[in-house]
Amino acid sequence: MIDLSKQQREIIEAPLKSMAVTACAGSGKTTTAVRRLAAMRELLEDNHGHIALLSFSNVAVDTFNRDYDALLQEEAKFVRKGGIEISTVDAFITSNIIRPHGHLAMKCNRTPFLVHGSEPFLASFQVWIDKRPHPTTDIKLTSREGGGLQYEIGRANTVVDKKTAKDAISKLAQIGAYSHALGNLWALKVLVDQPLVKRALARRYPHILVDEAQDIGKLHELILTALQDAGSQVSLIGDVNQGIYEFSGATGTFLGQYADRKDVEGRTLEINFRSVPSIVSIANELSGRTDNPQRTEPETLSGAYYFAYKKTEKDSALKSFAALLKDAGISINDAAVLCRSAKWADEWAGSEEIQGQGVLRKFVEAAIERDKFLRYGDAFKHCCAGVVGLLDETHGDLLSDLVSCRGDDKSSHMLRRTLWTFVKDATSGLPSASLVAKTEWQPALRERMEALLTTLSDDYGLKAGDNWKAKLAKRKLFNRPLIRGADLGGEDLPNFRVSTVHKVKGESIGGVLYICNRSHLDEFLEGTNTEVGKIGYVALTRARDLFVLGVPAANIGNYAHKLHALGFKRAGGK
């Protein structure tokens, strides 16, 4: 997007100050943030310090880096690359606080390292709740009603006694380990207990921009506020209607109330450059906003539609979606089927029953990700977890280094290359998921793993655990392949991308099918006052040209009137 709106230009050209930018979906937040970053760098030209642009996903960070580099090449006035840091919020906290200074708060004698929960040595770190053991890494901090934080654990979010939780967390910290949920706790403690560190960070980063600011959780808020109190100017960009991480404590409250501060200037972005007017109109009805569409309706089929589906007849629903895409002139590659939960996404993608248990299951998941879904990055992560699970417990922080690509030395690069080769090679590495699990796949995996572990020992000094073969036993493997083959004589279906709404937030997609059950639909139609309602809103606003709502066939009669009143049309015109 080259032509900027008046609102975008005002934000980009504003003096150096803290801002709260409330932006609608499709409003060009990326373009605005990148150009604001470049303009701030020019304003800060004669001063010391860095400007940080932070977001919450690697996809967003990659986009920011790409667009910023392109901007520097296109605009002669933006000539400075140095003094800029673009990263995820968690990576920023990890590299600037946890790794260099975390040991001061954690009372460990080494650089802190992230654990993912599957490392073998974590079996020694548990907390007992109601006479049952739980992994210490499952402890998380949440906001307590009335203010403050509390410790919770497990799917039931059982509240843990503060002393019990702190003792367990401290025991884990003493060896230098922390989980995703606990890393921000230690970062905050560093800033509270080490005022010199806090002031140094504020001096190094006098300006911080946070994209997708509705996803800021309580601990992130406290960390940013601590840096702000020490002198950093913090600007937030986001949309509270797209706050779909309430389950992790990100309620959108920080962004929603940020402009009320006397030292913060509120701004808005109210032009939707992404979606056709009929979709923007529905989005406005759901969110209570009054955003304006920049586009006009195309001559081909476009807008918001709905149809009935049955869970037992998924193929029929997907064929109907494919027909609508064809009428709209949208490629299958520019379409997605979105679901509320990962379980639903797996079902609509034709998920396999996961076989095996323990460490073996990691290799099963890796093979399925590679051979069925072609998701090599996820396959690599699962395989790394499996390999580390077979090693001696002394290699506690290896998984974190492999997954984060943190090791900079030549040995680390070669190790990742060795594991990537194993993952990608179904002939001599990770066996094909089309093999019969119990009689073909597992024996091949065991044989090839022995060769891989020998290589890891000889070339990298990594020692295998004494019981590694037992961890690859055939328990819970079946006499069938890990993935089912296509039905002979069956009609081919388009290979749709199937995902959760959470995974596509921030994307722009030509055609979207959002599959609902009755409760999802109820909350979607009620607007963005609930987390599920916001998830539906995010699904709707991903679509550029076509949004299709899958309504359970048993409920279609109860919702048709409401959908038509909102602006939907029934697919097929009936």
Side-chain angles (χ1 to χ4, degrees):
M1 184 170 54
I2 298 175
D3 295 329
L4 300 173
S5 70
K6 181 175 181 290
Q7 291 176 331
Q8 287 177 303
R9 291 192 181 279
E10 289 176 347
I11 292 169
I12 293 166
E13 297 169 0
L16 292 174
K17 62 176 67 175
S18 295
M19 289 193 291
V21 180
T22 301
C24 71
S27 59
K29 287 194 293 89
T30 298
T31 296
T32 305
V34 166
R35 288 179 175 267
R36 173 61 176 165
L37 178 68
M40 292 176 71
R41 180 64 268 176
E42 294 301 305
L43 291 173
L44 202 66
E45 185 74 42
D46 296 330
N47 298 315
H48 297 291
H50 290 58
I51 302 174
L53 174 56
L54 311 178
S55 193
F56 286 87
S57 72
N58 290 320
V59 173
V61 168
D62 291 343
T63 301
F64 281 137
N65 274 308
R66 183 193 66 222
D67 289 1
Y68 186 72
D69 287 341
L71 178 63
L72 293 185
Q73 294 177 13
E74 294 172 5
E75 301 282 352
K77 65 177 180 178
F78 296 135
V79 296
R80 181 162 178 166
K81 174 67 175 177
I84 293 295
E85 181 168 337
I86 301 174
S87 73
T88 65
V89 174
D90 285 334
F92 176 84
I93 292 172
T94 299
S95 61
N96 286 289
I97 306 176
I98 300 177
R99 286 186 65 80
H101 309 294
H103 67 281
L104 299 173
M106 297 169 68
K107 310 299 182 185
C108 57
N109 58 2
R110 56 155 300 159
T111 300
F113 63 96
L114 174 69
V115 291
H116 297 261
S118 60
E119 292 84 349
F121 75 90
L122 291 177
S124 302
F125 296 89
Q126 296 182 329
V127 56
W128 288 79
I129 307 295
D130 296 331
K131 299 182 179 181
R132 293 183 58 187
H134 296 266
T136 300
T137 51
D138 283 356
I139 296 177
K140 56 183 179 290
L141 275 84
T142 61
S143 297
R144 186 174 56 204
E145 289 187 18
L149 298 170
Q150 67 185 16
Y151 298 92
E152 296 180 356
I153 200 166
R155 293 183 178 179
N157 294 325
T158 303
V159 176
V160 184
D161 172 75
K162 184 177 291 187
K163 183 179 185 306
T164 301
K166 284 187 173 181
D167 288 346
I169 294 169
S170 295
K171 179 183 176 183
L172 183 64
Q174 286 170 8
I175 66 166
Y178 65 93
S179 66
H180 280 288
L182 300 176
N184 292 321
L185 172 66
W186 292 119
L188 179 61
K189 187 169 177 55
V190 168
L191 297 182
V192 171
D193 294 346
Q194 307 293 329
L196 289 177
V197 172
K198 181 172 66 173
R199 289 199 296 268
L201 284 171
R203 186 175 181 83
R204 178 174 174 79
Y205 297 100
H207 300 279
I208 300 172
L209 288 77
V210 185
D211 178 48
E212 300 290 356
Q214 71 277 356
D215 295 335
I216 294 174
K218 189 61 180 180
L219 286 173
H220 287 145
E221 175 187 341
L222 293 173
I223 290 169
L224 290 170
T225 300
L227 293 175
Q228 190 176 37
D229 292 342
S232 294
Q233 288 187 347
V234 177
S235 294
L236 307 181
I237 307 174
D239 178 7
V240 293
N241 294 298
Q242 297 186 57
I244 59 176
Y245 290 94
E246 289 186 17
F247 64 88
S248 64
T251 63
T253 303
F254 188 41
L255 172 62
Q257 299 178 350
Y258 196 56
D260 296 336
R261 302 188 180 194
K262 63 180 181 180
D263 57 341
V264 175
E265 181 176 323
R267 296 277 186 167
T268 59
L269 291 174
E270 300 171 314
I271 296 178
N272 187 316
F273 294 89
R274 176 186 298 148
S275 302
V276 294
S278 53
I279 292 178
V280 175
S281 175
I282 295 174
N284 284 340
E285 287 290 330
L286 294 175
S287 63
R289 293 179 60 91
T290 56
D291 301 313
N292 299 308
Q294 185 266 348
R295 297 180 57 193
T296 57
E297 295 284 352
E299 295 182 0
T300 56
L301 181 143
S302 65
Y305 291 79
Y306 71 96
F307 61 56
Y309 78 91
K310 295 180 180 179
K311 289 195 71 174
T312 56
E313 299 176 3
K314 295 185 180 70
D315 288 359
S316 177
L318 296 177
K319 290 175 186 176
S320 296
F321 182 44
L324 288 170
L325 292 172
K326 183 177 180 181
D327 290 342
I330 299 173
S331 167
I332 296 296
N333 295 327
D334 191 21
V337 178
L338 304 183
C339 301
R340 160 70 180 83
S341 68
K343 181 180 179 182
W344 272 51
D346 286 343
E347 290 176 359
W348 280 84
S351 64
E352 306 293 336
E353 181 179 2
I354 299 297
Q355 304 182 43
Q357 67 179 29
V359 173
L360 181 66
R361 177 171 288 201
K362 295 295 181 182
F363 295 108
V364 171
E365 292 171 335
I368 293 174
E369 291 288 352
R370 181 194 65 190
D371 296 340
K372 180 161 188 171
F373 301 112
L374 304 180
R375 297 193 287 240
Y376 286 89
D378 290 337
F380 176 74
K381 292 177 182 178
H382 285 305
C383 189
C384 286
V387 170
V388 172
L390 299 178
L391 298 177
D392 184 85
E393 292 186 2
T394 56
H395 306 297
D397 59 345
L398 178 60
L399 180 57
S400 179
D401 288 343
L402 288 172
V403 172
S404 64
C405 300
R406 191 162 51 227
D408 296 327
D409 57 285
K410 182 178 180 181
S411 178
S412 296
H413 287 298
M414 293 303 296
L415 174 58
R416 282 193 286 272
R417 181 177 296 180
T418 297
L419 293 176
W420 264 110
T421 300
F422 181 83
V423 170
K424 291 188 291 185
D425 188 358
T427 303
S428 58
L430 182 66
S432 170
S434 63
L435 297 176
V436 176
K438 195 169 187 177
T439 59
E440 299 175 338
W441 184 85
Q442 188 271 353
L445 174 68
R446 185 166 166 171
E447 178 181 343
R448 297 173 191 180
M449 188 54 60
E450 185 166 16
L452 176 63
L453 291 174
T454 299
T455 299
L456 297 182
S457 175
D458 294 344
D459 295 350
Y460 306 102
L462 301 178
K463 181 182 178 183
D466 294 335
N467 62 339
W468 74 265
K469 291 184 178 180
K471 291 182 178 181
L472 296 182
K474 297 180 180 180
R475 290 185 294 273
K476 295 190 178 180
L477 289 181
F478 310 134
N479 284 314
R480 64 169 185 261
L482 296 179
I483 57 175
R484 297 183 292 267
D487 294 333
L488 294 177
E491 184 177 351
D492 289 337
L493 282 170
N495 187 23
F496 282 114
R497 174 191 179 190
V498 182
S499 177
T500 63
V501 177
H502 290 81
K503 289 186 177 180
V504 300
K505 190 161 72 73
E507 292 190 30
S508 176
I509 306 171
V512 170
L513 169 60
Y514 178 46
I515 300 295
C516 289
N517 64 17
R518 182 167 184 168
S519 65
H520 300 160
L521 192 54
D522 282 336
E523 296 194 56
F524 173 71
L525 294 175
E526 288 298 317
T528 57
N529 294 321
T530 67
E531 184 176 14
V532 175
K534 291 175 181 176
I535 289 172
Y537 176 82
V538 170
L540 170 71
T541 55
R542 296 315 90 202
R544 293 196 306 274
D545 295 299
L546 179 67
F547 178 76
V548 183
L549 193 63
V551 180
N555 307 124
I556 195 75
N558 299 326
Y559 292 94
H561 177 72
K562 294 180 181 179
L563 290 169
H564 283 285
L566 197 57
F568 281 86
K569 302 174 185 177
R570 183 157 187 174
K574 297 181 181 179

